């Protein structure tokens, strides 16, 4: 396992994107931002300038699926540029949204990559008022149809945490859609939702209600991140649960839980695409031992470890994650250039 030995400052110190201004009295106020009308109104309470900026970019695109009479208006952040390299498509973790990429997305875009951040069906900010099924097969078909309708080219697919399971399931079923794969602190060895799949619906709804609670999400932040302040943790909690404020969120999440969830361990060796594994050295949620196991089981993978970093490197160490992804995207170009220079 290769470690990135350079030290990295926190995201707020290494990325600069001024989105605030000071009144003459010294009080900080936010610059005028126009949020999409379909976002929960609580988006206005978020203080994180990067989250606020990315939220203004969220759009809804029509995605036709076989399990709904109407196209699903599906949320994502679309690229501002089209590059010659394959598009980079960012998934998110369990019960999260594209706002998870608030720090790394602008860096990838600044590096000239055509970058999408896509919300997985059942989470994020898609319009699910008609409540489509949100089991694994539905999530897979929805993502495939979004790719087929809007992205249209083989992609470099990036999956953090449970998003890695989403990515592996997708690659195993639609290998033609993926050129390369990036897995970040991958949650790929869990046996679905386990005993949660057998809960009575009333108990499942009680569990989902707890999942949305601020105290539980604050506790998860303690596990996921290293050394953040309470104020930052509270604001990140508000970012992370914003999508939970939609009226259909509970139903969609319960549907996923009782369906059994992702169980992709048997699909890992089917992945033939070149894969980059990124892992936070101090991950308190998924053991580094599983990173080594995953590296051994994937037939064409390299692994990089980020020091002083927990479960979500793209939130804690966006500069290092962006550099790894950019280098991985351009890796073949670098090799071609080296070969040409030798002649």
């Amino acid at each position: 396992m290769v470690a990135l030995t350079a030290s990295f400052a926190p995201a707020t110190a290494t990325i600069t994107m001024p989105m605030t201004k000071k009144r003459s009295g010294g009080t900080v106020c936010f610059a005028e931002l126009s949020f999409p009308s379909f976002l929960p109104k609580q988006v206005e309470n978020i203080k994180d300038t990067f989250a606020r900026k990315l939220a203004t970019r969220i759009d809804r695109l029509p995605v036709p699926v076989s399990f709904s009479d109407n196209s699903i208006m599906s949320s994502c952040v679309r690229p501002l540029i089209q590059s010659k390299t394959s598009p980079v498509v960012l998934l998110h973790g369990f019960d999260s949204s594209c706002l998870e990429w608030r720090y790394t997305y602008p860096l990838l875009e600044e590096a000239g990559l055509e970058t999408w951040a896509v919300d997985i069906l059942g989470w994020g900010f898609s319009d699910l008022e008609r409540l489509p099924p949100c089991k694994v097969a539905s999530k897979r078909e929805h993502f495939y149809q979004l790719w087929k309708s809007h992205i249209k080219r083989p992609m470099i697919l990036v999956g953090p945490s449970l998003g890695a399971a989403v990515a592996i399931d997708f690659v195993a079923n639609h290998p033609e859609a993926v050129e390369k794969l990036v897995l970040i602190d991958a949650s790929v060895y869990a046996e679905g939702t386990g005993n949660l799949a057998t809960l009575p619906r009333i108990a499942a709804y009680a569990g989902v209600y707890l999942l949305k609670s601020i105290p539980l999400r604050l506790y998860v932040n303690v596990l996921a991140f290293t050394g953040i302040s309470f104020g930052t943790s509270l604001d990140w909690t508000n970012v992370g649960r914003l999508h939970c404020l939609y009226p259909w969120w509970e139903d969609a999440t319960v549907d996923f839980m009782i369906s059994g969830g992702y169980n992709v361990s048997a699909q890992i060796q089917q992945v033939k695409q070149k894969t980059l594994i990124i892992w936070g050295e101090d991950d308190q949620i998924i053991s580094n031992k599983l990173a080594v196991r995953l590296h051994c089981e994937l037939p064409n993978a390299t692994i990089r470890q980020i020091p002083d970093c927990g479960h979500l490197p793209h939130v804690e160490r966006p500069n290092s994650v962006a550099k790894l992804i950019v280098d991985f995207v351009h890796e073949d170009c670098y090799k071609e250039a080296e070969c040409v220079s030798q002649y």
Side-chain angles (χ1 to χ4, degrees), residues 93 159-165 182-188 224 276-288 290-291 294 304-306 309-314 316 321:
S161 194
L162 187 71
V182 180
L183 306 177
I184 303 176
D185 290 71
S187 177
V188 294
L276 171 64
I277 301 169
I278 301 173
W279 217 274
E281 190 177 73
D282 299 327
D283 191 338
Q284 299 300 306
I285 295 177
I286 303 178
S287 169
N288 285 4
L290 294 181
L294 182 60
R304 298 291 183 267
Q305 186 165 308
I306 300 177
C309 182
H311 183 60
L312 297 176
H314 53 298
E316 280 194 274
V321 170

Side-chain angles (χ1 to χ4, degrees), residues 279-331:
W279 217 274
E281 190 177 73
D282 299 327
D283 191 338
Q284 299 300 306
I285 295 177
I286 303 178
S287 169
N288 285 4
K289 293 179 180 179
L290 294 181
V292 176
R293 176 181 170 183
L294 182 60
H295 183 224
C296 292
E297 292 183 2
L298 282 168
N300 190 10
T302 57
I303 187 168
R304 298 291 183 267
Q305 186 165 308
I306 300 177
D308 301 316
C309 182
H311 183 60
L312 297 176
H314 53 298
V315 178
E316 280 194 274
R317 297 290 182 264
N319 292 273
S320 53
V321 170
K323 184 180 187 306
L324 287 169
I325 292 175
V326 170
D327 288 348
F328 186 58
V329 170
H330 294 302
E331 183 178 51

Side-chain angles (χ1 to χ4, degrees), residues 133 158 167 215 217 254 290 294:
V158 184
R217 290 192 173 242
V254 166
L290 294 181
L294 182 60

Side-chain angles (χ1 to χ4, degrees), residues 91-259:
L91 301 176
H92 55 74
F94 171 73
D95 190 31
S96 186
S97 76
C98 56
L99 293 179
E100 196 174 291
W101 289 97
R102 56 194 177 272
Y103 301 130
T104 304
Y105 187 99
L107 294 174
L108 297 175
E109 206 163 54
E110 288 169 12
L113 299 185
E114 179 181 337
T115 308
W116 294 73
V118 173
D119 282 336
I120 299 165
L121 181 70
W123 300 313
F125 304 104
S126 299
D127 184 356
L128 303 184
E129 189 170 1
R130 297 178 184 272
L131 199 62
C134 293
K135 57 188 178 182
V136 168
S138 304
K139 293 178 188 292
R140 182 195 313 129
E141 180 187 339
H142 172 263
F143 182 41
Y144 175 74
Q145 292 298 335
L146 187 150
W147 171 81
K148 183 179 179 182
S149 300
H150 300 286
I151 301 173
K152 300 179 181 179
R153 292 190 291 151
M155 58 187 161
I156 296 165
L157 184 58
V158 184
S161 194
L162 187 71
V166 177
I168 286 176
D169 172 78
F170 185 83
V171 171
N173 286 276
H174 300 290
E176 75 284 358
V178 180
E179 179 185 321
K180 292 181 179 180
L181 197 59
V182 180
L183 306 177
I184 303 176
D185 290 71
S187 177
V188 294
Y189 292 110
E191 296 182 359
T193 54
N195 293 332
L196 296 176
T198 63
L199 287 176
R201 291 190 76 89
I202 189 170
Y205 274 96
V208 165
Y209 181 80
L210 180 63
L211 181 63
K212 183 170 65 173
S213 70
I214 290 177
L216 179 63
R217 290 192 173 242
L218 282 171
Y219 174 68
V220 171
N221 279 351
V222 171
L223 295 178
F225 303 111
T226 57
I228 62 172
S229 69
F230 176 78
T232 297
S233 183
L234 182 60
D235 195 47
W236 287 6
T237 294
N238 291 331
V239 174
R241 68 189 293 272
L242 183 64
H243 67 285
C244 302
L245 304 179
Y246 283 124
W248 52 75
W249 173 80
E250 287 91 348
D251 294 328
T253 303
V254 166
D255 187 64
F256 171 74
M257 286 173 54
I258 65 177
S259 73

